[in-house]
Amino acid sequence: MKKSITIIGSGFSSLAASCYLAKEGFDVTILEKNSTVGGRARQLIKDGFTFDIGPTWYWMPDVFEKFFDDFGKEPSDYYHLDKLNPAYVVYFDKLDTIQIPDNLNDIFDIFEIQEKGSSKHLESFLNNAKHNYDVAIKDLVYRPGISITELITPVTIKKANQFFSTIRTSVRKNIKNNRLQQIMEFPVLFLGAKPSNTPSFYSFMNYADFGLGTWHPKGGMYEVVKAMYLLALELGVKIKTNQNVEKINVEKGVVKSVVSNGEILYSDVVLSGADYHHTETLLDEKYRGYSEKYWDSKIFAPSSLLFYVAFDKKIKDVSHHTLFFDTEFDVHAKDIYDDPKWPEKPLFYASFPSKTDDSVAPEGQEAGIFLIPIAPGIEDSPEIREKYFKNIIERFETLTDQKVIESILFKESFCVKDFINDYNSYKGNAYGLANILTQTAFLRPKIISKKVKNLFFTGQLTVPGPGVPPSIISGKIVSDLIKKSFDKTSL
């Protein structure tokens, strides 16, 4: 008799885990709260426009390749990838930009133009970053976060100082140009923490940026979700949508079933890829591994105010990915991490996927996604959303020297309340726990329940952390632990 596994949620980590577990012979069922799979990586389709609601950056292509290769597949079996050139553009002032090319030699040239001699410092920095990438992505991130000993290897001992210094210190040691500093500090924002709080070992994100490049799956990031969904179905995974899990039942310390839409569903194992804090609220209090005080004490990655905007014309002087650094990042960061409140002058990001992908907008028109990072848990109202849209769109017009407001066909927004309502996200966070030193590896919430046998967790609140590639890796890690907990001959 096959052992049955119920997976709560269908985000990247859940889909990855379901594939690995089904391949090993488990009877796997996914229960998804929403009407479509993908968790935070859903789509908005309206009037011929297609928007990725969640992630828009495709970094670390090797992680995706490794996942599909584990099943004898390739990403190209499911979707087409294009490498973006420029990878992204950064605005500092009106029509004042730096473009990041798709290859290192051109990036070195860009740096040299901005600061004489900086390219040699960048090359040295990236050599170390590549080594960190090889150590992290090919080894450390696949460890389950059970013990500190996982981090103690001959290589990490040599790099111990990089866990106690910061990205900001490393970046600014030799490169003095403020614009270049901001560009080099930008990638760690994907880890959900300030550069001044992120260990310098995480420079591997700079190698992911400059060394591996920025890619785009034609049709958007949801094509990756669809690929993993199709693979899961090929492997025999059962996927049910519109399933709201209301309770996890435990008997004598062993998980027995879940209650979804009022129906009891029995299972040998329950794996949650849903919000970790929310999942524990589905348990009787005595079975919860972490208290409310624990969660309140954690440093969370930002939430986001997002706008999905359809334009009736093509937008000039922007790239597929465009960053707007025309205000002070450190001031904005304080409003996220130190004194949580709405920022007065927020930095923002805009994605125009229709610049490189004609499938996401009607001919001659443009799909735009705008994002402002904000503190989780702050007030969210239609009035506040509208105020901030006006703020960024007016700055956008000034910085790019064009009128766009009158060309808006429609816009939709997504913010703290939506993260809570749609994903049961703790305080409406968008990216999980920040990857600071005290929340790294074995210091993150555990993949294996501390109090309930056969209850497991996966996703951005546990190891290895926030982001799409880490979520896929998290699914691999938890599936390995589940497999080890059962005798394969009993499946």
Side-chain angles (χ1 to χ4, degrees), residues 26 126-127 166 187 201 228 264 272 278 293 301 351 382 387 413:
F26 288 93
L126 288 178
N127 285 337
T166 69
F201 180 75
M228 296 176 74
I264 298 176
S272 180
H278 169 73
K293 184 178 178 181
S351 174
K387 170 187 172 182
S413 64

Side-chain angles (χ1 to χ4, degrees), residues 1-263:
M1 176 72 72
K2 286 185 177 182
K3 295 293 184 183
S4 59
I5 297 182
T6 297
I7 299 179
I8 303 172
S10 66
F12 285 110
S13 56
S14 293
L15 288 170
S18 76
C19 292
Y20 284 113
L21 292 165
K23 180 184 176 185
E24 288 298 315
F26 288 93
D27 181 7
V28 183
T29 300
I30 290 177
L31 303 178
E32 166 56 48
K33 172 179 180 284
N34 294 303
S35 59
T36 57
V37 298
R40 295 168 194 239
R42 295 183 297 154
Q43 273 185 327
L44 168 65
I45 299 175
K46 183 176 179 179
D47 297 345
F49 291 84
T50 300
F51 304 89
D52 281 314
I53 290 177
T56 56
W57 293 77
Y58 192 105
W59 272 9
M60 305 184 188
D62 52 321
V63 174
F64 297 87
E65 290 164 8
K66 184 179 188 309
F67 169 76
F68 286 106
D69 183 62
D70 285 342
F71 303 93
K73 304 283 188 178
E74 299 177 2
S76 59
D77 292 333
Y78 298 98
Y79 53 87
H80 173 77
L81 274 179
D82 290 306
K83 192 175 188 184
L84 299 182
N85 188 23
Y88 51 92
V89 171
V90 185
Y91 266 87
F92 295 97
D93 207 337
K94 184 174 181 178
L95 294 178
D96 181 6
T97 66
I98 292 179
Q99 294 193 0
I100 302 302
D102 69 346
N103 68 89
L104 279 176
N105 286 334
D106 287 348
I107 292 172
F108 291 145
D109 290 344
I110 293 288
F111 269 60
E112 200 64 23
I113 290 169
Q114 294 293 318
E115 179 183 339
K116 189 77 173 169
S118 64
S119 63
K120 296 219 182 306
H121 295 308
L122 176 62
E123 185 174 12
S124 175
F125 181 88
L126 288 178
N127 285 337
N128 181 67
K130 182 183 186 305
H131 190 259
N132 287 352
Y133 188 90
D134 290 339
V135 171
I137 303 303
K138 294 177 182 177
D139 182 14
L140 292 184
V141 296
Y142 284 92
R143 302 191 179 196
I146 293 172
S147 166
I148 188 175
T149 58
E150 296 172 15
L151 292 182
I152 302 174
T153 70
V155 174
T156 56
I157 289 171
K158 289 180 182 178
K159 291 180 172 286
N161 65 310
Q162 293 190 41
F163 288 93
F164 297 97
S165 62
T166 69
I167 284 288
R168 171 153 291 185
T169 301
S170 298
V171 164
R172 300 190 178 207
K173 181 179 179 182
N174 294 309
I175 293 177
K176 305 305 178 184
N177 181 284
N178 181 250
R179 294 181 175 198
L180 299 182
Q181 290 172 346
Q182 290 184 73
I183 289 170
M184 290 183 68
E185 291 175 354
F186 150 69
V188 302
L189 299 181
F190 286 93
L191 301 171
K194 294 190 292 186
S196 57
N197 283 345
T198 303
S200 60
F201 180 75
Y202 284 102
S203 65
F204 64 74
M205 293 296 293
N206 294 96
Y207 177 71
D209 177 4
F210 290 166
L212 298 177
T214 303
W215 300 75
H216 173 71
K218 185 173 178 60
M221 285 294 289
Y222 197 71
E223 292 302 308
V224 185
V225 172
K226 289 198 287 189
M228 296 176 74
Y229 168 77
L230 289 172
L231 177 59
L233 293 180
E234 289 174 35
L235 293 164
V237 177
K238 296 180 285 294
I239 301 176
K240 301 178 180 180
T241 55
N242 297 306
Q243 292 288 320
N244 184 37
V245 176
E246 300 141 349
K247 187 82 167 64
I248 299 174
N249 293 319
V250 179
E251 294 178 15
K252 297 180 180 179
V254 181
V255 74
K256 290 297 179 183
S257 63
V258 301
V259 180
S260 182
N261 294 350
E263 180 184 359

Side-chain angles (χ1 to χ4, degrees), residues 144 276 433 444-448 457-466 474:
Y276 201 124
L433 282 175
R444 298 180 73 81
K446 302 300 184 188
I447 275 185
I448 303 174
F457 298 86
T458 189
Q460 59 186 11
L461 285 174
T462 184
V463 293
S474 185

